[in-house]
Amino acid sequence: MSEPTVTVVIGAYNAMPYLTRCLESVVEQSLGGHTLECLAVDDGSTDGTGKELDRFAAAHPAVVRVVHQRNSGGPSGPRNVAIEQARGRYVFFLDADDHLGPNAMRRMIDMAERNGSDVVLGKYVGVDCEVPRSMFESNQEVVDLATSRVWNALTPHKLFRRSLLLERGLRFDEDIRIGEDRLFVTKAYLQASVISVVADEDCYYKVKRADQGNITSSYSDLGKRFEVARRIMAAIAAHSEPGPVRDAALLRTFRGGLLDSFSWRFPLMEESEQTEAMAVVKAEVDRFYTPELDARMTASHRIFAHCARHGLRRELIDVIEFLKEERARRRPAHEVVVDQGRAYATYPHFRDGTAGIPDSCYDITGELRQDDRLDAVRWRGGRRRGVLRLSGHGFIERVRTREPGTELVLRRRGDGQEVRVPTRPVPLSDPDAGPAGFTADLDPARALDGGPLPHGVWDVYLNVRTQGLSTLRRFGARKAGDLAPATTGGSGRLAVKPYYTAYGNLSLDVTARKTTRGPKTLKRRVGRGLRGLGRRLGGRKLRRIARLRGRSTASTRP
């Protein structure tokens, strides 16, 4: 029997009725020239999952294989069994609750074959749930782990080259029920030669079960979360060298695992357990936490790290409880203090001499959010030789607007070239509070240092400044009502088409003005030319020309 191109692995435990849609999505794959086997492991189900697997195996004997075993207590066991028995050149892990897009396997395999990829991510789609999206903005033939957002997608629902799993001994840890996927994928990322991303095809549909039966939904053992994070840290140290890639992996684990484990559950633990958990975090912070990583943390993460390192258990609990209350209210409860161009959140123990937590832990300058609105976008002076006028307002949330300033920033796609467009302030009714209103005039023929704006798509940003603080974000998604973009206009030889992107932001498509003239335009131009010629020659000469033309015509008659 020839080797299939890919083995789709399904570990199934009490997965009905979702399993049926899952299996249908596998056997209905559009594979092109590739071949597929589905290896399903029934992990001691009691709800008819085993019978449904056997039914599909009987209906598709060349595709579906089934392994029945006693319940192993988690997803790791079935996945490891499948890794040992898989025959495909690639392995894809599919949860029994979820399903595939029709072209998922073909697109991901094609990407892997083209680039020699060891790991391929296919675009996720959430069904009644949120899924990671930031890494799927565009296809990536070869990912740079130092800068890529694939670190935000650490579930195992990916295509793996089977030789990578076998040669590196990559298996799921069977003594932990959750977090084993993050540990497995972190190891795979760090040992893969090439990682790729398919972003223009809906590949994996993540389904939230109505009965909350997904394992993640029922997990609440905080102590095990700390243990998983500790193991991931050890894997990062074993499979990476100090540098940008290691920093990216550590940042994801600190922010999305170790420090985030200081959640609302922490105050509910026994004091001895709290002390033990803080000791685990302290060991990892002492070992890996650098000033470079600290600068990329949120204020709450910095406070957690400082409290763990210095044994401030009571202060840590105070901050956790405060943040829990903020989330329950769904609005910030802290004030923002601006001091020498930096912004600080007044979380518990801010500038409390007894606790001794430094101000830098409370610094939220990099977390400030900008609110803005586009009120109008229209051409002034005519569309052929016009100026594009934009008006709106913007402010930095939770910061009092004093001495405000705004500026439009145009950034060209592809090369990142920037053009800055000054704005004129609109007087405020209360100069000490409220948004900074503005208008800005963009002349495409003079926008770049007095010269024309180069051709291309220019994304529009708004920069807002106040009290020494500055924020920058894409502009236009928030608009006054149903504000349509201005029609295509221009200046000089440029044509400018304002439009809204799929995310609602304003962009400008700059091209050369079309000069092609239609038949009617040409006829009008010829007519005007003849009339001008007639005025220059005079009526007498025209009559003489007419008589000569008449004689010439008569002489040629038969």
Side-chain angles (χ1 to χ4, degrees), residues 59-96:
H60 306 276
V63 176
V64 180
R65 288 195 291 143
V66 179
V67 175
H68 297 279
Q69 66 178 31
R70 297 179 62 179
N71 183 256
S72 64
S76 295
R79 289 171 181 162
N80 287 339
V81 168
I83 291 174
E84 299 298 336
Q85 297 193 26
R87 296 184 296 111
R89 189 159 66 254
Y90 300 97
V91 173
F92 186 92
F93 296 100
L94 171 63
D95 284 355

Side-chain angles (χ1 to χ4, degrees), residues 97-109:
D97 314 303
D98 306 330
H99 57 269
L100 299 172
N103 304 311
M105 288 299 105
R106 175 172 56 83
R107 290 297 312 280
M108 285 188 282
I109 293 170

Side-chain angles (χ1 to χ4, degrees), residues 126-179:
V127 180
D128 299 324
C129 64
E130 292 294 323
V131 293
R133 297 185 297 173
S134 61
M135 66 294 305
F136 297 118
E137 291 182 353
S138 61
N139 289 343
Q140 301 175 58
E141 302 285 325
V142 179
V143 161
D144 178 4
L145 274 181
T147 59
S148 175
R149 295 177 178 175
V150 297
W151 288 110
N152 295 330
L154 294 180
T155 61
H157 314 121
K158 302 169 176 63
L159 189 76
F160 296 89
R161 189 177 295 272
R162 185 161 64 96
S163 61
L164 172 72
L165 308 184
L166 299 180
E167 293 169 6
R168 302 291 185 173
L170 285 170
R171 299 294 186 275
F172 293 86
D173 285 25
E174 298 189 27
D175 60 333
I176 49 179
R177 290 190 65 235
I178 199 162

Side-chain angles (χ1 to χ4, degrees), residues 114 119 154 205 353 393:
R114 188 164 60 249
V119 183
L154 294 180
Y205 289 80
H393 66 260

Side-chain angles (χ1 to χ4, degrees), residues 221-242:
D221 189 331
L222 188 57
K224 291 182 179 179
R225 287 183 180 269
F226 283 109
E227 172 60 20
V228 170
R230 187 195 65 78
R231 293 192 193 186
I232 293 176
M233 290 288 194
I236 293 170
H239 300 296
S240 68
E241 298 294 330

Side-chain angles (χ1 to χ4, degrees), residues 76 90 103 106 117 139 154 160 165 206 218 332 370 373 381 387 396-397 410 416 437 453 473 501 512 527 531:
S76 295
Y90 300 97
N103 304 311
R106 175 172 56 83
S117 312
N139 289 343
L154 294 180
F160 296 89
L165 308 184
K206 178 67 178 175
S218 62
Q370 175 178 310
R373 190 177 74 184
V387 172
I396 301 175
E397 291 185 355
L410 310 183
L453 202 60
R473 60 170 265 165
T501 68
R531 286 193 295 272

Side-chain angles (χ1 to χ4, degrees), residues 219-326:
Y219 182 70
S220 61
D221 189 331
L222 188 57
K224 291 182 179 179
R225 287 183 180 269
F226 283 109
E227 172 60 20
V228 170
R230 187 195 65 78
R231 293 192 193 186
I232 293 176
M233 290 288 194
I236 293 170
H239 300 296
S240 68
E241 298 294 330
V245 171
R246 174 177 285 191
D247 283 350
L250 289 173
L251 182 69
R252 171 64 176 88
T253 307
F254 271 122
R255 292 185 58 166
L258 195 68
L259 296 177
D260 272 359
S261 295
F262 287 128
S263 64
W264 60 270
R265 298 182 182 91
F266 182 79
L268 304 178
M269 299 171 68
E270 297 292 335
E271 183 174 338
S272 60
E273 295 175 324
Q274 293 173 349
T275 302
E276 182 180 351
M278 291 178 67
V280 171
V281 176
K282 171 179 167 53
E284 303 306 319
V285 169
D286 287 343
R287 185 180 182 188
F288 294 112
Y289 200 81
T290 64
E292 291 76 17
L293 288 176
D294 182 80
R296 299 167 67 182
M297 296 290 173
T298 65
S300 59
H301 289 127
R302 292 193 204 97
I303 297 170
F304 292 165
H306 182 87
C307 289
R309 175 175 271 176
H310 296 279
L312 303 177
R313 185 183 64 84
R314 186 66 258 171
E315 290 80 357
L316 174 60
I317 292 175
D318 290 343
V319 175
I320 292 173
E321 295 283 10
F322 183 87
L323 294 172
K324 174 186 174 183
E325 183 179 345
E326 277 199 332

